[in-house]
Amino acid sequence: MANNNVPSILYPLIQTPSPSTMFIYLFLLLHIASSFSTERLHTLQSSRVADERGCCRTSFLQATAKTAPKRRQSASTSSSVQTVSDDLLNLLKQKTSGKHAGAYLDDEINSLVKTLIASKSTFDPFESINGPLFASVHFIGETPLWEKIAIGNVQNIKGQRYTAADDTSGSFVNYAEIFGESLYLKATGKFIEKGAVIADENAKTSNTNNPLDLFSSFFSSPGRSQNKQTPFDYEAIVTGASIVIFGKPFDVIIEGTGTVRVLYADPNLRIFLSPTNTDVTRGAGDWESAGLIVVQVRIDLLYNDWSGQTLET
């Protein structure tokens, strides 16, 4: 059973001391030491930015000639949207594998992300939201907490798994490895559909008593999700969390709510926006800040060796 008295390294609270406290404090010291090493590494990497954009640009273009698309102004048809999605997936795989990572690759990814957002495509929640873990592999905006806490020269996977209960609600797991599968954070909760984000003028014109709208509703499939129009909002409510150390879970006191805005979603990848800061009602720390855009990819498309057993711990 989880020990509610063990303090979280992420949301420090005044708790009754326990034997695990000394381990966590020691881990924090290692984290600080790792941060100094990381800063030094970033300094060395920044000195190579010019080479990356210059002499290394040719080799990057040759390696990605078959996958990197030309810049697109729009994606007006479903086929062109799928093409952009496929191209983005290829670049995200390269970034995750460590091949050709750098500012130029990020620029290409950001361009395709913007194209998919601008397409305002529809999505089927049962195919594109419900399913296995989707790994968070790229973000635009302020660095989120789940990215900051990762340490060590190991593969640290982060992401979310949504499980639909019906057309409008379900449960979720937020997952973030701190030091691989040896140390990770997991938050659980439920999500509820809020609806499409529609401009006021669009809402007024769509709110008509058109008899054809009523007629077409008779042909909808009951019990089966209909496609949702992006941008589309869900409310996420965190009801519990735990930190797992070498397979042993310890409860973390944290509760809160947030809005997940779907900007694009298909069965392979999805793009989420946090339109507001996470509202933490118990515990401390903001998981994500307003304006953050996160790109997620289905886990099995990136990592063949990830078992997923840690999600069930």
Side-chain angles (χ1 to χ4, degrees):
M1 296 295 293
N3 186 348
N4 290 322
N5 291 328
V6 176
S8 165
I9 66 169
L10 302 177
Y11 305 96
L13 302 170
I14 299 176
Q15 302 284 346
T16 303
S18 68
S20 302
T21 304
M22 295 304 298
F23 173 82
I24 296 176
Y25 286 165
L26 177 60
F27 179 80
L28 284 172
L29 291 176
L30 293 174
H31 190 179
I32 294 172
S34 176
S35 298
F36 282 115
S37 298
T38 302
E39 289 296 331
R40 188 174 182 181
L41 178 61
H42 286 337
T43 300
L44 293 174
Q45 289 176 335
S46 62
S47 66
R48 298 197 299 269
V49 170
D51 290 338
E52 187 179 278
R53 290 182 175 272
C55 64
C56 296
R57 175 177 172 139
T58 301
S59 61
F60 171 81
L61 290 175
Q62 292 173 345
T64 59
K66 296 182 179 180
T67 57
K70 297 179 180 179
R71 296 295 179 93
R72 292 173 171 81
Q73 298 299 321
S74 64
S76 57
T77 65
S78 59
S79 60
S80 64
V81 170
Q82 187 59 55
T83 298
V84 176
S85 176
D86 292 342
D87 291 339
L88 176 58
L89 178 60
N90 287 330
L91 294 184
L92 292 171
K93 287 180 178 180
Q94 292 184 35
K95 177 175 181 176
T96 305
S97 67
K99 298 178 181 178
H100 312 292
Y104 182 76
L105 179 59
D106 284 346
D107 289 344
E108 289 294 306
I109 291 174
N110 290 345
S111 176
L112 297 180
V113 168
K114 292 177 181 178
T115 300
L116 289 179
I117 293 174
S119 72
K120 295 186 178 181
S121 305
T122 60
F123 68 96
D124 184 337
F126 274 95
E127 294 182 355
S128 305
I129 304 299
N130 178 66
L133 182 80
F134 275 58
S136 301
V137 296
H138 184 78
F139 66 89
I140 303 172
E142 184 177 344
T143 305
L145 180 60
W146 47 260
E147 181 71 15
K148 294 178 181 178
I149 62 177
I151 64 171
N153 188 26
V154 296
Q155 174 180 281
N156 287 309
I157 295 175
K158 313 100 177 174
Q160 295 176 306
R161 181 183 70 183
Y162 288 87
T163 304
D166 51 42
D167 286 359
T168 61
S169 63
S171 60
F172 69 85
V173 177
N174 286 346
Y175 179 84
E177 291 180 353
I178 302 171
F179 190 74
E181 295 186 0
S182 300
L183 179 64
Y184 59 91
L185 179 70
K186 185 172 68 172
T188 58
K190 59 183 180 180
F191 67 93
I192 303 172
E193 176 182 303
K194 295 179 68 175
V197 181
I198 305 174
D200 291 340
E201 58 273 15
N202 292 336
K204 292 177 181 178
T205 57
S206 63
N207 187 20
T208 63
N209 294 321
N210 188 342
L212 293 179
D213 293 338
L214 179 61
F215 180 76
S216 62
S217 66
F218 292 135
F219 294 93
S220 60
S221 301
R224 182 66 174 88
S225 173
Q226 298 180 16
N227 285 354
K228 310 295 184 182
Q229 178 66 57
T230 59
F232 193 91
D233 283 358
Y234 291 94
E235 181 181 29
I237 305 170
V238 176
T239 57
S242 61
I243 183 170
V244 182
I245 305 173
F246 298 114
K248 187 177 179 66
F250 300 95
D251 285 351
V252 174
I253 300 177
I254 178 173
E255 294 179 1
T257 60
T259 298
V260 179
R261 180 163 296 170
V262 182
L263 300 180
Y264 176 82
D266 65 35
N268 293 332
L269 65 87
R270 56 202 189 194
I271 304 171
F272 290 163
L273 166 70
S274 295
T276 60
N277 292 335
T278 305
D279 181 17
V280 179
T281 55
R282 295 187 65 191
D286 289 330
W287 193 242
E288 294 178 351
S289 299
L292 178 70
I293 294 177
V294 179
V295 184
Q296 299 180 340
V297 176
R298 205 177 72 228
I299 187 71
D300 60 296
L301 298 178
L302 299 174
Y303 308 106
N304 295 325
D305 57 344
W306 194 73
S307 66
Q309 294 180 353
T310 49
L311 274 180
E312 312 304 329
T313 302

